Amino acid sequence: MAGFPILSLMLAVPLVAAFICLVVDAKTARTVALAATLADLALGVVLWCQFDIGGAQWQFQESKPLFAGFSWKLGIDGIALLLIELSVFLMPICILASQSIEKRVGEYMAAFLIMEALMIGVFAAQDLFLFYIFFEAGLIPMYLIIGVWGGVDRIYASYKFFLYTLLGSVLMLIAMIWMANDAGTTDIPTLMAYDFPVDAQKWLWLAFFASFAVKMPMWPVHTWLPDAHVQAPTAGSVILAGVLLKMGGYGFIRFSLPMFPQASADFAWLIYWLSMIAVVVTSLIALVQHDMKKLIAYSSVAHMAIVTVGLFAFNTQGLEGTMLVMLSHGLVAGALFLCVGVIYDRLHTREIDRYGGLSINMPKYALFFMLFTMASVGLPATSGFVGEFLSLAGIYQQSSLVAFVAGTGVILGAGYMLYLYRRICFGDQKNADAAAMPDLNLREWAMLAPIAAAVLWMGVYPESFLAPMRADIQALEARLASAKPAGDAQLTAGQPAMKTEAHSEGAH
Amino acid sequence: MDWAQSLRIAAPEELLSVAGIILLVASAWGQTRRDARAVTWLSVLTLAVAAIMTAPALWSGVSGADALAFSGLFSGDAFAAFAKLLIYAAAGASLLVAPAFFEKQNAYRPEYPVLVLFAVLGMSMMVSATNLLTLYVGLELNSLAAYVLAAFHKPDQRSAEAGLKYFVLGALASGILLFGMSLTYGFTGTINFAGIATALAGGAISKGALFGLTFVLAGLAFKISAVPFHMWTPDVYEGAPTPVTTLFASAPKVAALALTMRVTLEAFGPQAAAWQQIVVFAALASIVIGALGAIGQGNIKRLLAYSSINNVGFVLIGLAAGTPQGASAMLFYLTVYVAMTIGGFVAVLMLKDAEGNQIESIADMAGLSRTRPLLAAGLAVIMFSLAGIPPMLGFWGKFMVFQAAVQAGMITLAALGIAASVIGAFYYLKVVKVMYFDEPAGKATGRSDMLHEWLLATCTLFISPLGYLITKCLTALTVVAAGVLFPGA
């Protein structure tokens, strides 16, 4: 496998397919898009199989000095591998979920395929500026997806999405230029081991924070997310929640933490406070929503706060938990948006009160919806539990207050998700049109079943997902060790580590 | 004094003058539509030959005394060659699109390409000037031709107004420039750039020379339409016939910016601190006012005019850095800017209603992506590129100037500039929104010229992500060209 540019191929397949989609008719475009995303999924499977767990940190490396100032440099570690897998896994499902799109199908499919290429590019880029280009370029197709195929307020939402995220990112670019200038290289692995002056780290960290906090999104810069989610078409919401939000978390784990360990430690309090506020406030906001998509959007913000808390725990549990929450949230939030899409396609409303008692006429749907609701809440044996537990266990070593407040997120999460589920699936069939809706068809089965399987797999045997990134997380922890702030948990040294070991062995 | 040497160095300019005069005489006899077309093609051919004659100077990277002609009045160095190539290309493109536009109104005359040739000759001299007098002669030659061009479309009142406005304000700017030049001469005792640099080297700048510098920069700021001397730009760009606007927004901008670079970096180079603050202010003000001014515009030409003010601000950030990196970044940005501007105005030329009349209102472009998908896609790429969104090449232009600013330690300037660029993104997005999100207005349905389509396609391909493949070669050339201005480095 060595030397074969599989990552470039994974980028090329959707790009070529995108151009084909632009010139063919609607029906062919759907087929081409599905075929291309499935081909990328197959390549993703090959990638995972060929990934040498415990081998070199960076694998499948490619480097071509094609451009002035930066180069075409790709390569992945375990963290990037998993996020790429998440992207290629969700893409065919998104294409399937887009059956209800009827206007300008070719352009729609092209936008999604370009989006896929850019997402893979973000996770695979090993050159600082190449990363930035992929990172920012994603704005264009997403802007078009929301603006052309979105809901009623799509134009406001598309502007807000674009300008918010652009403003967040441009300062990061200046920081990147400064870093490349100071370190004399744009190679990300080199920069991850480079020690920037402590004074400068502070500013660099803040510039990166501005970008990633918006992408993530963290409270109080999350307000673009509910608008974008609500107005985007179903597949757009899936991609936004499933993958685009993960770019923020990936940014923290790839840039902020390893490149500026000291600044990360100094600013941990900021992250803690913002995350604590986010968990409580956005959960409460979710509780009072009448719009299904908005509710799930706010729940995303709350889940992302658990991610940031775990990231800044500075220990293995926290970081591993963070990665699992990101993967799990990608699957679960994506699946929940699909569930919303299924009934939206039938009744064309997202108003929660217009539904009710769906478990009577749509039992299969209700079952899937139940599973994903439970996964979102964090029920053991679903993917949500593993990640949230590890994250909270990680942060508990650092600050019991943060762990306590973030922990309430799980309870509140159960509150708003179960309340949502009750209003939609249980109770009387108070609306005749909702009661007449048919159950899942084959296409919808094909969308939801794979995600359900992945959610259960990750919940029952998370080792498959932890193994590829274990070495990378440990390397990151070692990098952070010198800067790690003292925790407030006054436990006898050694005991927490033993407990974690016992837990991870128990999961085998 | 080796005359043969001097004449060889100035060969492109001689070709342009001779060809201009011959074609002027020829056009006195031929006034038919066919003659006008023939003169246009011959002019384009002249520009192409002039470009071929210029290219070797850039390739071999000539600089310093080897490039000087006519006792140091004129320099055919690599820097001038780079700027000239850009100018010839831009002028050639704007000539190519002219006949189809004017013939619709039966207003095409062979004088048009001849005037463009003389304007180009003036620009050519501007970028080669190493002496305040050559500078002024070149500038005026270009300006006089430009005043006539702006008013070329006689039946259109807006065109006449644009010509008059341009003339009055241009004359004022020339006066300011001359005043600054006379002060500079008075306090340095020379009109030669190298001499001025020697006189200013060492010690603080004298009050008089500072005044001279300020006035010279003010005059030049008018020519590059940098804030606060930008007011004429939207009116002239809107009023002038679109092919003329295409020329105004591209070639003279390159010439005036190259000239500004030479004056500041070469003549006033030793007193960088004195002009840097002016340039920093002009850069930030241009970015912000260019962006804010564009927001309310309903006419696409006015919008592009404000966009050009905005872009000049970004170019000036490279100048504020005052380093070889900054200068080469400016040249790179200018190259991309020329492609974006030509593409943008060609796209505007292609917007026609069913009867073939030009459409300039942004509202009439609604739903263009459905009536003219390729045109809309081209314009969208140009808009995203102007906004500096990766992966379009416009991003890399901005990137280079900001990189130069950061390398020169001007991090605050870079951060402010890039944050202000987000304001600009808003109105570029508006154009995309109108074309893609709105319901078709059914106005812009007319067919366009094959030549226009090819030009737009070329420009779009250049600024599309494929353009990154030539960044290596282009950057190498800009480094050679910019190196000329920093003989010590």
Side-chain angles (χ1 to χ4, degrees):
Chain A
M1 228 31 220
F4 182 73
I6 185 165
L7 289 171
S8 291
L9 186 66
M10 286 179 80
L11 285 168
V13 167
L15 278 182
V16 172
F19 283 104
I20 298 174
C21 282
L22 280 177
V23 292
V24 297
D25 64 293
K27 196 153 173 288
T28 328
R30 285 183 209 275
T31 323
V32 168
L34 189 62
T37 48
L38 284 174
D40 244 21
L41 177 60
L43 284 171
V45 172
V46 173
L47 194 70
W48 199 342
C49 295
Q50 295 290 327
F51 188 83
D52 179 15
I53 293 171
Q57 186 184 4
W58 300 99
Q59 303 185 18
F60 304 103
Q61 283 186 305
E62 297 169 30
S63 178
K64 284 221 164 44
L66 281 180
F67 318 107
F70 70 109
S71 48
W72 182 260
K73 209 183 269 177
L74 302 175
I76 52 168
D77 63 351
I79 296 170
L81 170 80
L82 290 171
L83 289 166
I84 289 179
E85 296 302 335
L86 177 67
S87 317
V88 293
F89 178 73
L90 285 177
M91 273 315 288
I93 297 171
C94 283
I95 301 292
L96 278 179
S98 306
Q99 274 317 307
S100 56
I101 299 287
E102 268 158 18
K103 67 171 182 181
R104 300 160 88 176
V105 177
E107 287 161 295
Y108 177 89
M109 295 298 168
F112 264 90
L113 289 166
I114 291 173
M115 200 68 227
E116 174 173 27
L118 295 174
M119 292 183 312
I120 298 173
V122 164
F123 298 130
Q126 279 209 316
D127 185 291
L128 200 57
F129 297 130
L130 187 66
F131 168 83
Y132 185 82
I133 288 176
F134 281 129
F135 189 76
E136 280 299 281
L139 291 184
I140 298 177
M142 207 60 214
Y143 170 73
L144 294 174
I145 288 171
I146 299 175
V148 179
W149 296 277
V152 185
D153 279 332
R154 59 184 199 272
I155 292 175
Y156 172 74
S158 63
Y159 269 100
K160 196 165 176 180
F161 165 76
F162 195 104
L163 295 176
Y164 234 98
T165 33
L166 181 65
L167 185 63
S169 304
V170 288
L171 291 174
M172 179 173 80
L173 179 64
I174 298 293
M176 283 180 166
I177 294 175
W178 192 91
M179 286 160 65
N181 199 26
D182 187 66
T185 176
T186 56
D187 183 53
I188 290 177
T190 317
L191 286 168
M192 282 168 72
Y194 184 86
D195 293 311
F196 289 99
V198 175
D199 302 344
Q201 275 192 24
K202 199 170 60 180
W203 293 106
L204 296 172
W205 190 91
L206 283 174
F208 276 75
F209 174 73
S211 174
F212 298 143
V214 171
K215 263 282 187 299
M216 191 97 188
M218 291 180 73
W219 187 87
V221 286
H222 66 285
T223 57
W224 65 269
L225 182 79
D227 287 310
H229 266 325
V230 170
Q231 299 304 330
T234 303
S237 304
V238 174
I239 282 300
L240 257 177
V243 188
L244 290 189
L245 300 191
K246 308 302 170 294
M247 288 182 185
Y250 178 74
F252 276 119
I253 213 167
R254 175 69 77 235
F255 296 92
S256 299
L257 286 173
M259 292 184 193
F260 326 120
Q262 192 56 51
S264 298
D266 292 348
F267 281 112
W269 61 270
L270 177 67
I271 298 279
Y272 292 159
W273 276 104
L274 291 182
S275 305
M276 284 193 290
I277 296 173
V279 165
V280 177
V281 170
T282 53
S283 295
L284 290 176
I285 296 175
L287 209 49
V288 296
Q289 293 304 318
H290 297 290
D291 182 312
M292 290 186 284
K293 269 186 155 180
K294 232 176 190 158
L295 191 150
I296 300 169
Y298 279 110
S299 87
S300 291
V301 183
H303 278 105
M304 288 298 118
I306 308 259
V307 169
T308 44
V309 159
L311 275 172
F312 285 79
F314 299 96
N315 52 38
T316 310
Q317 289 95 320
L319 291 166
E320 285 185 346
T322 285
M323 277 302 294
L324 283 183
V325 175
M326 289 209 285
L327 294 173
S328 155
H329 176 264
L331 295 171
V332 173
L336 286 172
F337 279 117
L338 289 173
C339 286
V340 172
V342 164
I343 50 177
Y344 179 81
D345 284 349
R346 288 165 171 68
L347 215 55
H348 297 286
T349 174
R350 294 182 304 262
E351 192 71 25
I352 297 173
D353 286 342
R354 296 278 290 106
Y355 298 93
L358 292 191
S359 56
I360 299 168
N361 59 321
M362 298 176 76
K364 290 175 192 145
Y365 171 79
L367 180 69
F368 275 118
F369 196 12
M370 171 67 99
L371 172 69
F372 298 128
T373 303
M374 289 308 157
S376 176
V377 171
L379 196 76
T382 62
S383 59
F385 170 73
V386 188
E388 285 183 14
F389 179 79
L390 281 175
S391 295
L392 293 175
I395 193 62
Y396 186 70
Q397 299 178 22
Q398 209 56 40
S399 160
S400 43
L401 172 71
V402 179
F404 174 74
V405 177
T408 61
V410 181
I411 302 165
L412 288 167
Y416 59 74
M417 284 314 292
L418 292 176
Y419 185 43
L420 170 75
Y421 191 76
R422 196 209 79 79
R423 284 181 288 172
I424 289 186
C425 286
F426 293 156
D428 298 329
Q429 291 182 310
K430 56 188 174 178
N431 297 306
D433 46 359
M437 296 196 301
D439 208 348
L440 298 181
N441 60 28
L442 195 62
R443 176 179 65 87
E444 288 155 353
W445 260 96
M447 281 160 26
L448 294 173
I451 304 187
V455 164
L456 288 174
W457 183 8
M458 204 186 287
V460 175
Y461 190 66
E463 175 64 13
S464 313
F465 301 90
L466 286 169
M469 63 184 181
R470 182 158 289 136
D472 303 309
I473 297 285
Q474 271 159 7
L476 182 56
E477 196 197 12
R479 170 87 178 139
L480 292 170
S482 61
K484 182 177 175 176
D488 70 348
Q490 303 298 327
L491 296 174
T492 330
Q495 255 181 329
M498 281 167 63
K499 270 184 186 167
T500 342
E501 268 171 33
H503 159 72
S504 67
E505 269 161 26
H508 278 250
Chain B
M1 171 88 255
D2 186 354
W3 280 99
Q5 168 85 359
S6 292
L7 288 173
R8 197 162 60 244
I9 289 171
E13 283 73 23
E14 286 143 25
L15 172 76
L16 286 171
S17 353
V18 172
I21 291 167
I22 293 176
L23 289 175
L24 181 64
V25 175
S27 59
W29 274 277
Q31 283 287 341
T32 65
R33 176 179 284 204
R34 236 192 50 217
D35 298 332
R37 284 228 170 207
V39 174
T40 310
W41 283 106
L42 285 173
S43 304
V44 174
L45 184 71
T46 311
L47 287 172
V49 176
I52 293 168
M53 289 160 77
T54 314
L58 176 59
W59 229 253
S60 52
V62 202
S63 67
D66 300 339
L68 284 180
F70 305 114
S71 324
L73 284 171
F74 185 96
S75 169
D77 53 21
F79 175 76
F82 189 96
K84 278 181 212 175
L85 285 180
L86 269 184
I87 291 169
Y88 297 156
S94 53
L95 264 183
L96 286 176
V97 297
F101 175 87
F102 286 109
E103 278 168 10
K104 169 84 183 138
Q105 280 107 357
N106 250 331
Y108 201 52
R109 302 275 176 277
E111 286 87 351
Y112 181 84
V114 175
L115 280 167
V116 172
L117 274 190
F118 283 123
V120 170
L121 173 61
M123 295 178 220
S124 228
M125 287 180 65
M126 282 160 76
V127 297
S128 277
T130 47
N131 181 299
L132 290 177
L133 276 186
T134 327
L135 179 166
Y136 190 72
V137 171
L139 193 83
E140 281 305 286
L141 181 54
N142 164 43
S143 300
L144 282 176
Y147 302 145
V148 185
L149 283 172
F152 195 80
H153 195 204
K154 278 173 283 180
D156 187 351
Q157 226 172 8
R158 288 189 311 167
S159 177
E161 185 196 323
L164 188 66
K165 207 171 243 169
Y166 196 22
F167 173 68
V168 173
L169 290 173
L172 180 69
S174 291
I176 295 175
L177 185 65
L178 270 181
F179 184 54
M181 280 160 51
S182 60
L183 278 174
T184 308
Y185 172 63
F187 282 87
T188 59
T190 172
I191 51 169
N192 200 310
F193 287 2
I196 295 173
T198 321
L200 289 177
I205 190 167
S206 68
K207 277 259 160 57
L210 187 62
F211 265 88
L213 162 68
T214 312
F215 277 101
V216 168
L217 279 186
L220 291 174
F222 176 88
K223 293 291 168 193
I224 60 177
S225 63
V227 174
F229 302 98
H230 64 289
M231 268 79 144
W232 59 277
T233 319
D235 292 340
V236 172
Y237 279 22
E238 186 196 3
T242 313
V244 178
T245 315
T246 316
L247 178 73
F248 282 1
S250 53
K253 276 263 159 81
V254 176
L257 273 163
L259 178 64
T260 312
M261 284 165 81
R262 222 192 252 283
V263 170
T264 47
L265 296 172
E266 226 175 70
F268 295 106
Q271 295 293 347
W275 53 260
Q276 249 163 351
Q277 44 182 333
I278 303 177
V279 173
V280 166
F281 169 78
L284 285 180
S286 301
I287 293 174
V288 172
I289 292 185
L292 291 179
I295 288 175
Q297 300 305 326
N299 181 300
I300 182 86
K301 280 165 81 180
R302 278 187 89 87
L303 185 125
L304 286 172
Y306 276 106
S307 146
S308 86
I309 297 170
N310 180 261
N311 275 292
V312 162
F314 288 111
V315 181
L316 287 180
I317 284 187
L319 185 61
T323 55
Q325 289 91 338
S328 73
M330 288 173 79
L331 292 177
F332 188 95
Y333 195 108
L334 277 174
T335 314
V336 181
Y337 169 76
V338 164
M340 294 189 293
T341 307
I342 300 272
F345 280 105
V346 169
V348 173
L349 278 168
M350 288 167 70
L351 292 169
K352 291 178 193 164
D353 64 13
E355 280 95 51
N357 298 315
Q358 294 291 324
I359 287 176
E360 287 177 10
S361 147
I362 295 177
D364 289 344
M365 291 160 60
L368 194 69
S369 65
R370 268 177 275 181
T371 47
R372 304 281 309 276
L374 286 178
L375 174 58
L379 204 48
V381 168
I382 289 165
M383 287 297 149
F384 281 123
S385 182
L386 280 168
I389 310 293
M392 307 309 168
L393 200 56
F395 161 71
W396 199 247
K398 286 204 170 67
F399 176 89
M400 302 266 289
V401 293
F402 286 122
Q403 190 174 37
V406 170
Q407 281 172 352
M410 310 178 107
I411 296 170
T412 320
L413 171 68
L416 287 175
I418 203 161
S421 78
V422 177
I423 313 173
F426 176 74
Y427 65 86
Y428 295 122
L429 282 184
K430 191 176 98 176
V431 178
V432 177
K433 173 229 155 203
V434 169
M435 293 190 303
Y436 276 83
F437 303 171
D438 289 357
E439 288 305 308
K443 287 251 176 69
T445 49
R447 297 201 41 80
S448 45
D449 211 62
M450 191 74 157
L451 198 61
H452 288 62
E453 283 167 8
W454 278 105
L455 265 178
L456 179 63
T458 315
C459 292
T460 312
L461 274 186
F462 178 73
I463 57 177
S464 75
L466 291 177
Y468 282 88
L469 294 174
I470 57 150
T471 50
K472 257 191 149 165
C473 158
L474 191 57
T475 311
L477 288 179
T478 57
V479 168
V480 169
V484 171
L485 300 180
F486 298 87

